[in-house]
Amino acid sequence: MTEKTEQATDQVIEQVTKQTADNGGFLLPSGKRAKQIEPMGKHIKLARRAQAGGADYLFAMIAQITKIDGKGIVAEELDEFTAVDVNLLIEMTLGKL
């Protein structure tokens, strides 16, 4: 990662952290608003079942705990999100696990 990319990533994470503290949600670079709940054991179990069926575990976990613009998502929808949105969702999810 270049220094410029790292700085941009740090700025986004800083913004997300502030927004998360403000309202429990955060803004994705695309402008969509994401809100995540605290992962529970049941979410891990469901994500592992999805993985056994061929789904990506992390995408399944994101789908289990995330709402986008107030609506639930399925893991396959993440395939159509921009890479920067997906990367931020991954970072936020990994921070909760």
Side-chain angles (χ1 to χ4, degrees), residues 9-63:
T9 301
D10 290 344
Q11 288 174 345
V12 169
I13 291 173
E14 183 179 325
Q15 177 188 8
V16 167
T17 302
K18 181 185 180 304
Q19 290 172 343
T20 299
D22 289 347
N23 63 15
F26 54 94
L27 195 61
L28 296 173
S30 67
K32 295 175 186 172
R33 179 155 297 278
K35 186 170 184 178
Q36 292 186 321
I37 61 171
E38 188 69 28
M40 306 294 284
K42 63 184 175 183
H43 300 121
I44 293 171
K45 188 188 311 182
L46 290 169
R48 286 186 176 164
R49 282 186 193 156
Q51 182 181 28
D56 179 272
Y57 172 81
L58 194 49
F59 276 35
M61 179 59 78
I62 291 169

Side-chain angles (χ1 to χ4, degrees), residues 70-89:
K71 298 176 185 170
I73 61 169
V74 295
E76 293 78 13
E77 286 181 75
L78 294 170
D79 291 342
E80 301 303 319
F81 280 41
T82 63
V84 293
D85 281 0
V86 173
N87 280 331
L88 184 53
L89 288 166

